[in-house]
Coordinates of all heavy atoms in Angstrom, one line a residue:
M1 N -15.0 -4.0 -18.9 CA -15.0 -3.0 -17.8 C -15.5 -1.7 -18.3 O -14.9 -1.1 -19.2 CB -13.6 -3.0 -17.2 CG -13.5 -2.1 -16.0 SD -11.9 -2.1 -15.2 CE -11.9 -3.7 -14.4
S2 N -16.4 -1.1 -17.6 CA -16.9 0.2 -18.1 C -16.1 1.4 -17.6 O -15.3 1.2 -16.7 CB -18.4 0.4 -17.5 OG -18.3 0.6 -16.1
M3 N -16.2 2.5 -18.3 CA -15.4 3.7 -17.9 C -15.7 4.1 -16.5 O -14.9 4.5 -15.8 CB -15.8 4.8 -18.9 CG -15.0 6.1 -18.6 SD -13.2 5.9 -18.6 CE -12.8 6.7 -20.1
E4 N -17.0 4.0 -16.1 CA -17.4 4.4 -14.7 C -16.7 3.5 -13.7 O -16.2 4.1 -12.7 CB -18.9 4.3 -14.5 CG -19.4 4.7 -13.1 CD -20.8 4.7 -13.0 OE1 -21.5 5.6 -13.6 OE2 -21.4 3.8 -12.4
L5 N -16.6 2.2 -13.9 CA -15.9 1.4 -13.0 C -14.4 1.7 -12.9 O -13.8 1.8 -11.8 CB -16.1 -0.1 -13.4 CG -15.4 -1.1 -12.4 CD1 -16.0 -1.0 -11.0 CD2 -15.7 -2.5 -13.0
T6 N -13.8 2.0 -14.0 CA -12.4 2.4 -14.1 C -12.2 3.7 -13.3 O -11.3 3.8 -12.5 CB -11.9 2.6 -15.5 OG1 -12.1 1.3 -16.2 CG2 -10.5 3.0 -15.6
L7 N -13.1 4.7 -13.5 CA -13.0 5.9 -12.8 C -13.2 5.7 -11.3 O -12.4 6.3 -10.5 CB -14.1 6.9 -13.3 CG -14.1 8.3 -12.7 CD1 -12.8 9.0 -12.8 CD2 -15.2 9.1 -13.3
D8 N -14.1 4.8 -10.9 CA -14.3 4.5 -9.5 C -13.0 3.9 -8.9 O -12.6 4.2 -7.8 CB -15.5 3.6 -9.3 CG -16.8 4.2 -9.5 OD1 -16.8 5.5 -9.5 OD2 -17.8 3.5 -9.7
N9 N -12.4 3.0 -9.7 CA -11.1 2.4 -9.2 C -10.0 3.4 -9.0 O -9.3 3.4 -8.0 CB -10.6 1.3 -10.2 CG -11.5 0.1 -10.1 OD1 -12.2 -0.2 -9.1 ND2 -11.5 -0.7 -11.2
I10 N -9.9 4.4 -9.9 CA -8.9 5.4 -9.8 C -9.2 6.3 -8.6 O -8.3 6.6 -7.9 CB -8.9 6.2 -11.1 CG1 -8.3 5.4 -12.3 CG2 -8.0 7.5 -11.0 CD1 -8.4 6.0 -13.6
L11 N -10.4 6.7 -8.5 CA -10.8 7.5 -7.3 C -10.5 6.8 -6.0 O -10.0 7.4 -5.0 CB -12.2 8.0 -7.4 CG -12.6 8.9 -8.5 CD1 -14.1 9.2 -8.6 CD2 -11.8 10.2 -8.3
A12 N -10.8 5.5 -5.9 CA -10.6 4.8 -4.7 C -9.1 4.7 -4.4 O -8.6 4.8 -3.3 CB -11.1 3.3 -4.8
A13 N -8.3 4.5 -5.4 CA -6.8 4.4 -5.3 C -6.3 5.8 -4.8 O -5.4 5.9 -3.9 CB -6.1 4.0 -6.6
L14 N -6.7 6.8 -5.4 CA -6.3 8.2 -5.0 C -6.7 8.5 -3.6 O -6.0 9.1 -2.8 CB -6.8 9.2 -6.0 CG -6.2 9.2 -7.4 CD1 -6.9 10.2 -8.3 CD2 -4.7 9.5 -7.3
K15 N -7.9 8.1 -3.2 CA -8.4 8.3 -1.9 C -7.5 7.6 -0.9 O -7.1 8.1 0.2 CB -9.8 7.9 -1.7 CG -10.4 8.2 -0.4 CD -11.9 7.8 -0.3 CE -12.5 8.0 1.1 NZ -13.9 7.6 1.1
A16 N -7.2 6.3 -1.2 CA -6.3 5.5 -0.3 C -4.9 6.1 -0.2 O -4.4 6.2 0.9 CB -6.2 4.1 -0.8
A17 N -4.4 6.6 -1.3 CA -3.1 7.2 -1.2 C -3.0 8.6 -0.7 O -2.0 9.2 -0.3 CB -2.5 7.2 -2.6
G18 N -4.2 9.3 -0.6 CA -4.3 10.7 -0.2 C -4.1 11.0 1.2 O -3.9 12.2 1.6
E19 N -4.0 10.0 2.1 CA -3.8 10.2 3.5 C -2.3 10.3 3.7 O -1.5 9.5 3.1 CB -4.4 9.1 4.3 CG -4.6 9.4 5.8 CD -3.4 9.0 6.6 OE1 -2.6 8.1 6.1 OE2 -3.1 9.6 7.6
E20 N -1.8 11.2 4.6 CA -0.4 11.4 4.8 C 0.4 10.2 5.1 O 1.5 9.9 4.5 CB -0.2 12.5 5.9 CG 1.3 12.8 6.1 CD 1.5 13.8 7.2 OE1 0.5 14.4 7.7 OE2 2.7 14.0 7.6
T21 N 0.0 9.4 6.1 CA 0.8 8.2 6.4 C 0.8 7.2 5.3 O 1.8 6.6 5.0 CB 0.2 7.6 7.7 OG1 0.2 8.5 8.8 CG2 0.9 6.3 8.1
R22 N -0.3 7.0 4.6 CA -0.3 6.0 3.5 C 0.5 6.5 2.4 O 1.2 5.7 1.7 CB -1.8 5.8 3.1 CG -2.5 5.0 4.1 CD -3.8 4.4 3.6 NE -4.9 5.4 3.4 CZ -5.7 5.8 4.4 NH1 -5.6 5.3 5.6 NH2 -6.6 6.7 4.1
L23 N 0.6 7.8 2.1 CA 1.5 8.3 1.1 C 3.0 8.0 1.5 O 3.8 7.6 0.7 CB 1.3 9.8 0.9 CG 2.0 10.4 -0.3 CD1 1.6 9.7 -1.6 CD2 1.6 11.9 -0.4
R24 N 3.3 8.2 2.8 CA 4.7 7.9 3.3 C 4.9 6.4 3.1 O 6.0 6.0 2.8 CB 4.8 8.3 4.8 CG 4.8 9.8 5.0 CD 4.9 10.2 6.4 NE 6.2 9.7 7.0 CZ 6.3 9.5 8.3 NH1 5.3 9.6 9.1 NH2 7.5 9.1 8.7
V25 N 3.9 5.6 3.4 CA 4.1 4.1 3.3 C 4.4 3.8 1.8 O 5.4 3.0 1.5 CB 2.8 3.4 3.8 CG1 2.9 1.9 3.3 CG2 2.7 3.5 5.3
L26 N 3.7 4.3 0.9 CA 3.9 4.1 -0.5 C 5.4 4.5 -0.9 O 6.1 3.8 -1.6 CB 2.9 4.8 -1.4 CG 1.5 4.2 -1.4 CD1 0.6 5.2 -2.2 CD2 1.5 2.8 -2.0
A27 N 5.8 5.6 -0.4 CA 7.2 6.1 -0.7 C 8.2 5.1 -0.2 O 9.2 4.9 -0.8 CB 7.4 7.5 -0.1
L28 N 8.0 4.6 1.0 CA 8.9 3.6 1.6 C 9.0 2.3 0.7 O 10.1 1.7 0.6 CB 8.5 3.2 3.0 CG 8.7 4.3 4.1 CD1 8.0 3.9 5.4 CD2 10.2 4.5 4.3
F29 N 8.0 2.0 0.1 CA 8.0 0.8 -0.8 C 8.7 0.9 -2.1 O 9.0 0.0 -2.8 CB 6.6 0.3 -1.0 CG 6.0 -0.5 0.1 CD1 5.0 0.0 0.9 CD2 6.4 -1.8 0.4 CE1 4.5 -0.7 2.0 CE2 5.9 -2.5 1.5 CZ 4.9 -1.9 2.2
Q30 N 9.2 2.1 -2.4 CA 10.0 2.3 -3.6 C 11.3 1.6 -3.4 O 12.0 1.4 -4.4 CB 10.2 3.8 -3.9 CG 8.9 4.4 -4.4 CD 9.1 5.9 -4.8 OE1 10.2 6.4 -4.7 NE2 8.0 6.5 -5.3
T31 N 11.7 1.3 -2.2 CA 13.0 0.7 -2.0 C 12.9 -0.9 -2.1 O 13.9 -1.6 -2.1 CB 13.6 1.0 -0.6 OG1 12.7 0.6 0.4 CG2 13.8 2.5 -0.5
G32 N 11.7 -1.4 -2.1 CA 11.5 -2.8 -2.2 C 10.4 -3.3 -1.2 O 9.6 -2.5 -0.7
E33 N 10.4 -4.6 -1.0 CA 9.4 -5.2 -0.1 C 9.7 -4.9 1.4 O 10.9 -4.8 1.8 CB 9.5 -6.8 -0.3 CG 9.1 -7.2 -1.6 CD 9.1 -8.7 -1.7 OE1 9.7 -9.4 -0.9 OE2 8.5 -9.2 -2.7
L34 N 8.6 -4.8 2.1 CA 8.7 -4.6 3.6 C 7.7 -5.4 4.3 O 6.7 -5.8 3.7 CB 8.5 -3.1 3.9 CG 9.5 -2.1 3.3 CD1 9.0 -0.7 3.4 CD2 10.8 -2.2 4.1
T35 N 7.9 -5.6 5.6 CA 6.9 -6.3 6.5 C 6.3 -5.2 7.4 O 6.8 -4.1 7.5 CB 7.6 -7.3 7.3 OG1 8.5 -6.7 8.2 CG2 8.4 -8.4 6.5
V36 N 5.2 -5.7 8.1 CA 4.6 -4.8 9.0 C 5.6 -4.4 10.1 O 5.6 -3.2 10.5 CB 3.3 -5.5 9.6 CG1 2.8 -4.6 10.8 CG2 2.3 -5.7 8.6
T37 N 6.3 -5.3 10.6 CA 7.3 -5.0 11.6 C 8.3 -3.9 11.2 O 8.6 -3.0 12.0 CB 8.1 -6.3 12.0 OG1 7.1 -7.3 12.4 CG2 9.0 -6.1 13.2
E38 N 8.8 -4.0 10.0 CA 9.7 -3.0 9.5 C 9.0 -1.6 9.4 O 9.6 -0.6 9.8 CB 10.3 -3.4 8.1 CG 11.2 -4.6 8.2 CD 11.5 -5.2 6.8 OE1 10.6 -5.2 5.9 OE2 12.6 -5.7 6.7
L39 N 7.8 -1.6 9.0 CA 7.1 -0.3 8.9 C 6.8 0.3 10.3 O 6.9 1.5 10.5 CB 5.8 -0.5 8.1 CG 6.0 -0.7 6.6 CD1 4.7 -1.2 6.0 CD2 6.5 0.5 5.9
V40 N 6.4 -0.6 11.2 CA 6.2 -0.1 12.6 C 7.5 0.6 13.1 O 7.4 1.6 13.8 CB 5.8 -1.3 13.5 CG1 5.9 -0.9 15.0 CG2 4.4 -1.8 13.2
T41 N 8.6 0.0 12.9 CA 9.9 0.5 13.4 C 10.2 1.9 12.7 O 10.5 2.8 13.4 CB 11.0 -0.5 13.1 OG1 10.7 -1.7 13.7 CG2 12.4 0.1 13.6
V42 N 10.0 1.9 11.4 CA 10.4 3.1 10.6 C 9.4 4.3 10.9 O 9.8 5.4 11.2 CB 10.4 2.8 9.1 CG1 10.6 4.1 8.3 CG2 11.6 1.9 8.8
L43 N 8.1 4.0 10.9 CA 7.1 5.0 11.1 C 6.8 5.3 12.5 O 6.1 6.3 12.8 CB 5.8 4.6 10.3 CG 6.0 4.5 8.8 CD1 4.8 3.9 8.2 CD2 6.4 5.9 8.2
R44 N 7.2 4.4 13.5 CA 6.9 4.6 14.9 C 5.4 4.8 15.2 O 5.0 5.6 15.9 CB 7.7 5.8 15.4 CG 9.2 5.6 15.4 CD 9.9 6.7 15.9 NE 11.4 6.4 15.7 CZ 12.3 7.2 16.1 NH1 12.1 8.3 16.8 NH2 13.6 6.9 15.9
Q45 N 4.7 3.9 14.5 CA 3.2 3.8 14.8 C 2.9 2.4 15.2 O 3.7 1.4 15.0 CB 2.4 4.2 13.5 CG 2.6 5.6 13.1 CD 1.6 6.0 12.0 OE1 0.7 5.3 11.7 NE2 1.9 7.2 11.5
S46 N 1.7 2.2 15.8 CA 1.4 0.9 16.3 C 1.1 -0.1 15.2 O 0.8 0.2 14.0 CB 0.1 1.0 17.2 OG -1.0 1.3 16.3
Q47 N 1.3 -1.4 15.5 CA 1.1 -2.5 14.5 C -0.4 -2.4 14.0 O -0.5 -2.5 12.7 CB 1.4 -3.8 15.1 CG 1.2 -5.0 14.2 CD -0.2 -5.6 14.2 OE1 -0.8 -5.6 15.3 NE2 -0.7 -5.9 13.1
P48 N -1.4 -2.3 14.8 CA -2.8 -2.3 14.2 C -3.0 -1.1 13.3 O -3.6 -1.2 12.2 CB -3.7 -2.1 15.5 CG -2.9 -2.7 16.6 CD -1.4 -2.3 16.3
R49 N -2.4 0.0 13.6 CA -2.5 1.2 12.7 C -1.8 1.0 11.3 O -2.4 1.2 10.3 CB -2.0 2.5 13.4 CG -2.1 3.7 12.5 CD -1.7 4.9 13.2 NE -2.9 5.2 14.1 CZ -3.0 6.3 14.8 NH1 -2.1 7.2 14.8 NH2 -4.1 6.5 15.5
I50 N -0.6 0.4 11.4 CA 0.1 0.1 10.1 C -0.6 -0.9 9.3 O -0.8 -0.8 8.1 CB 1.5 -0.3 10.4 CG1 2.4 0.8 11.1 CG2 2.2 -0.8 9.2 CD1 2.6 2.0 10.2
S51 N -1.1 -1.9 10.0 CA -1.9 -3.0 9.3 C -3.1 -2.5 8.6 O -3.5 -2.9 7.5 CB -2.3 -4.1 10.3 OG -1.1 -4.8 10.7
R52 N -3.8 -1.5 9.3 CA -5.0 -0.9 8.7 C -4.6 -0.1 7.4 O -5.3 -0.2 6.4 CB -5.7 0.0 9.6 CG -6.9 0.7 9.1 CD -7.7 1.5 10.1 NE -8.9 2.0 9.6 CZ -9.1 3.0 8.8 NH1 -8.0 3.7 8.3 NH2 -10.3 3.4 8.3
H53 N -3.5 0.6 7.5 CA -3.1 1.4 6.3 C -2.7 0.4 5.1 O -3.1 0.7 4.0 CB -1.9 2.2 6.6 CG -2.1 3.4 7.5 ND1 -3.1 4.4 7.2 CD2 -1.6 3.8 8.6 CE1 -3.1 5.3 8.1 NE2 -2.2 5.0 9.0
L54 N -2.0 -0.7 5.5 CA -1.7 -1.6 4.5 C -2.9 -2.3 3.9 O -3.0 -2.5 2.6 CB -0.7 -2.7 5.0 CG 0.7 -2.2 5.4 CD1 1.4 -3.3 6.2 CD2 1.4 -1.7 4.2
R55 N -3.9 -2.6 4.7 CA -5.1 -3.2 4.2 C -5.8 -2.3 3.2 O -6.2 -2.7 2.1 CB -6.1 -3.6 5.3 CG -7.4 -4.2 4.9 CD -8.3 -4.6 6.0 NE -8.6 -3.5 6.9 CZ -9.5 -2.5 6.7 NH1 -10.2 -2.6 5.6 NH2 -9.7 -1.5 7.5
L56 N -5.9 -1.0 3.5 CA -6.6 -0.1 2.6 C -5.8 0.1 1.3 O -6.4 0.2 0.2 CB -6.7 1.3 3.3 CG -7.7 1.3 4.5 CD1 -7.6 2.6 5.3 CD2 -9.1 1.1 4.0
L57 N -4.5 0.1 1.4 CA -3.7 0.2 0.2 C -3.8 -1.0 -0.7 O -3.8 -0.9 -1.9 CB -2.2 0.5 0.5 CG -2.0 1.9 1.1 CD1 -0.6 2.0 1.7 CD2 -2.3 3.0 0.1
C58 N -3.9 -2.2 -0.1 CA -4.1 -3.4 -0.8 C -5.4 -3.5 -1.5 O -5.6 -3.9 -2.6 CB -3.9 -4.7 0.1 SG -2.2 -5.0 0.5
E59 N -6.5 -3.1 -0.7 CA -7.8 -3.1 -1.3 C -7.9 -2.2 -2.4 O -8.7 -2.4 -3.4 CB -8.8 -2.7 -0.2 CG -9.1 -3.8 0.9 CD -9.9 -3.3 2.0 OE1 -10.3 -2.1 2.1 OE2 -10.2 -4.2 2.9
A60 N -7.2 -1.1 -2.4 CA -7.2 -0.1 -3.5 C -6.3 -0.6 -4.7 O -6.3 0.1 -5.7 CB -6.7 1.3 -3.0
G61 N -5.6 -1.7 -4.5 CA -4.8 -2.2 -5.6 C -3.5 -1.6 -5.8 O -2.8 -1.8 -6.8
L62 N -3.0 -0.8 -4.8 CA -1.8 -0.1 -4.8 C -0.6 -0.9 -4.3 O 0.5 -0.7 -4.7 CB -1.8 1.2 -4.1 CG -2.9 2.2 -4.6 CD1 -2.9 3.5 -3.8 CD2 -2.5 2.6 -6.1
L63 N -0.9 -1.9 -3.4 CA 0.1 -2.8 -2.8 C -0.3 -4.2 -3.1 O -1.5 -4.5 -3.2 CB 0.2 -2.6 -1.3 CG 0.8 -1.3 -0.8 CD1 0.9 -1.4 0.7 CD2 2.2 -1.1 -1.4
E64 N 0.7 -5.1 -3.2 CA 0.4 -6.5 -3.2 C 1.1 -7.2 -2.0 O 2.0 -6.6 -1.5 CB 1.1 -7.1 -4.5 CG 0.6 -6.5 -5.8 CD 1.4 -6.9 -7.0 OE1 2.5 -7.5 -6.9 OE2 0.9 -6.7 -8.1
R65 N 0.6 -8.3 -1.6 CA 1.2 -9.0 -0.5 C 1.4 -10.4 -0.8 O 0.7 -11.0 -1.6 CB 0.3 -8.9 0.8 CG -1.1 -9.4 0.6 CD -2.0 -9.2 1.8 NE -2.0 -10.5 2.5 CZ -2.3 -10.7 3.8 NH1 -2.7 -9.7 4.5 NH2 -2.2 -11.8 4.3
H66 N 2.4 -11.0 -0.2 CA 2.7 -12.4 -0.4 C 3.3 -13.0 0.9 O 4.0 -12.3 1.6 CB 3.6 -12.7 -1.6 CG 5.0 -12.2 -1.5 ND1 6.0 -13.0 -1.1 CD2 5.5 -11.0 -1.7 CE1 7.1 -12.3 -1.1 NE2 6.8 -11.1 -1.5
R67 N 3.0 -14.2 1.1 CA 3.5 -14.9 2.3 C 4.7 -15.8 2.0 O 4.8 -16.5 1.0 CB 2.4 -15.8 2.9 CG 2.7 -16.5 4.1 CD 1.6 -17.3 4.7 NE 0.4 -16.5 5.1 CZ 0.3 -16.0 6.3 NH1 1.2 -16.2 7.2 NH2 -0.8 -15.3 6.5
E68 N 5.7 -15.7 2.9 CA 6.8 -16.6 2.9 C 7.0 -17.2 4.3 O 7.4 -16.5 5.2 CB 8.1 -15.9 2.5 CG 8.2 -15.5 1.0 CD 9.5 -14.8 0.6 OE1 10.5 -15.0 1.3 OE2 9.5 -14.1 -0.4
G69 N 6.5 -18.4 4.4 CA 6.5 -19.0 5.8 C 5.6 -18.3 6.7 O 4.4 -18.1 6.3
T70 N 6.1 -17.8 7.8 CA 5.2 -17.0 8.7 C 5.2 -15.5 8.4 O 4.5 -14.8 9.1 CB 5.6 -17.3 10.2 OG1 7.0 -16.9 10.3 CG2 5.5 -18.7 10.5
W71 N 6.0 -15.1 7.5 CA 6.1 -13.7 7.2 C 5.2 -13.3 6.0 O 5.1 -14.0 5.1 CB 7.6 -13.3 6.8 CG 8.5 -13.4 8.0 CD1 9.3 -14.5 8.3 CD2 8.8 -12.4 9.0 NE1 10.0 -14.2 9.4 CE2 9.7 -13.0 9.9 CE3 8.3 -11.1 9.2 CZ2 10.2 -12.3 11.0 CZ3 8.8 -10.4 10.3 CH2 9.7 -11.0 11.1
I72 N 4.7 -12.1 6.1 CA 3.9 -11.5 5.0 C 4.7 -10.3 4.5 O 5.0 -9.4 5.3 CB 2.5 -11.1 5.4 CG1 1.7 -12.3 5.9 CG2 1.8 -10.4 4.3 CD1 0.3 -12.1 6.4
F73 N 5.0 -10.3 3.3 CA 5.7 -9.2 2.6 C 4.8 -8.4 1.8 O 3.9 -8.9 1.1 CB 6.9 -9.7 1.8 CG 8.0 -10.3 2.6 CD1 8.0 -11.6 3.0 CD2 9.1 -9.5 3.0 CE1 9.0 -12.2 3.7 CE2 10.1 -10.1 3.8 CZ 10.0 -11.4 4.1
Y74 N 5.0 -7.1 1.8 CA 4.2 -6.2 1.0 C 5.1 -5.5 0.0 O 6.3 -5.3 0.3 CB 3.5 -5.1 1.8 CG 2.5 -5.7 2.8 CD1 2.8 -6.2 4.0 CD2 1.1 -5.7 2.4 CE1 1.9 -6.7 4.9 CE2 0.2 -6.2 3.3 CZ 0.6 -6.7 4.5 OH -0.4 -7.2 5.3
R75 N 4.6 -5.2 -1.2 CA 5.3 -4.4 -2.2 C 4.3 -3.6 -3.1 O 3.1 -3.9 -3.1 CB 6.1 -5.4 -3.1 CG 5.3 -6.3 -3.9 CD 6.1 -7.2 -4.8 NE 5.3 -8.2 -5.4 CZ 5.4 -9.5 -5.2 NH1 6.4 -10.0 -4.5 NH2 4.6 -10.4 -5.8
L76 N 4.9 -2.7 -3.8 CA 4.1 -1.9 -4.7 C 3.5 -2.8 -5.8 O 4.1 -3.8 -6.2 CB 4.9 -0.8 -5.4 CG 5.4 0.3 -4.5 CD1 6.3 1.3 -5.3 CD2 4.2 1.1 -3.9
A77 N 2.3 -2.5 -6.2 CA 1.6 -3.2 -7.3 C 2.5 -3.2 -8.5 O 3.1 -2.1 -8.8 CB 0.2 -2.7 -7.6
E78 N 2.6 -4.3 -9.2 CA 3.5 -4.3 -10.4 C 2.6 -4.5 -11.6 O 1.7 -5.4 -11.6 CB 4.5 -5.4 -10.3 CG 5.5 -5.2 -9.1 CD 6.4 -6.4 -8.9 OE1 6.3 -7.4 -9.7 OE2 7.3 -6.2 -8.1
G79 N 3.0 -3.8 -12.7 CA 2.2 -4.0 -13.9 C 0.8 -3.4 -13.9 O 0.3 -3.2 -12.8
G80 N 0.3 -3.1 -15.0 CA -1.1 -2.6 -15.1 C -1.2 -1.1 -14.8 O -0.3 -0.4 -14.5
K81 N -2.5 -0.8 -14.8 CA -2.9 0.7 -14.6 C -2.6 1.2 -13.2 O -2.2 2.3 -13.1 CB -4.3 0.9 -14.9 CG -4.8 0.5 -16.3 CD -4.4 1.5 -17.3 CE -5.0 1.1 -18.7 NZ -4.4 1.9 -19.7
K82 N -2.7 0.3 -12.2 CA -2.5 0.8 -10.8 C -1.0 1.1 -10.6 O -0.6 2.0 -10.0 CB -2.9 -0.3 -9.8 CG -4.4 -0.5 -9.8 CD -5.2 0.7 -9.2 CE -6.7 0.6 -9.3 NZ -7.3 0.0 -8.2
A83 N -0.1 0.3 -11.2 CA 1.3 0.5 -11.1 C 1.7 1.8 -11.8 O 2.5 2.6 -11.3 CB 2.1 -0.6 -11.8
D84 N 1.0 2.1 -12.9 CA 1.3 3.4 -13.6 C 0.8 4.6 -12.7 O 1.4 5.6 -12.6 CB 0.5 3.5 -14.9 CG 1.1 2.5 -15.9 OD1 2.3 2.1 -15.8 OD2 0.4 2.1 -16.9
L85 N -0.4 4.4 -12.0 CA -0.9 5.4 -11.2 C 0.0 5.7 -10.0 O 0.3 6.8 -9.7 CB -2.3 5.0 -10.6 CG -3.0 5.9 -9.7 CD1 -3.3 7.3 -10.4 CD2 -4.3 5.3 -9.2
I86 N 0.6 4.6 -9.4 CA 1.5 4.8 -8.3 C 2.7 5.6 -8.8 O 3.2 6.5 -8.1 CB 2.0 3.4 -7.8 CG1 0.8 2.7 -7.1 CG2 3.1 3.6 -6.8 CD1 1.1 1.2 -6.8
K87 N 3.3 5.3 -9.9 CA 4.4 6.0 -10.5 C 4.1 7.5 -10.6 O 5.0 8.3 -10.4 CB 4.9 5.4 -11.8 CG 5.5 4.0 -11.6 CD 5.9 3.4 -12.9 CE 6.4 2.0 -12.7 NZ 6.6 1.3 -14.0
S88 N 2.9 7.8 -11.1 CA 2.6 9.2 -11.3 C 2.4 9.9 -10.0 O 2.6 11.1 -9.9 CB 1.3 9.3 -12.2 OG 0.2 8.8 -11.5
I89 N 1.9 9.2 -8.9 CA 1.8 9.8 -7.6 C 3.1 10.1 -7.0 O 3.3 11.1 -6.4 CB 1.0 8.9 -6.7 CG1 -0.5 8.8 -7.1 CG2 1.0 9.3 -5.2 CD1 -1.3 7.7 -6.4
M90 N 4.0 9.2 -7.1 CA 5.3 9.3 -6.5 C 6.2 10.1 -7.4 O 7.1 10.7 -7.0 CB 6.0 7.9 -6.3 CG 5.1 6.9 -5.5 SD 4.2 7.5 -4.1 CE 5.5 7.8 -2.9

């Protein structure tokens, strides 16, 4: 992996986290895993808007998602450089 690609990844992650709502979403994940429904309730925003924020954070590597039955749970990325970046942001 080249330095430029790494720098691009860092910039993409910072851009994703740099929006106010997405930064609030990241802060909420410090308590553990959450679903879209839980975030909609806490943030009082529409499901499509929350889903878009989550998609952008996942694409930037700041969040991970996993399915349990019909539920999708999101959590902060664990391990690696992205996890270190999240810790330094928060």
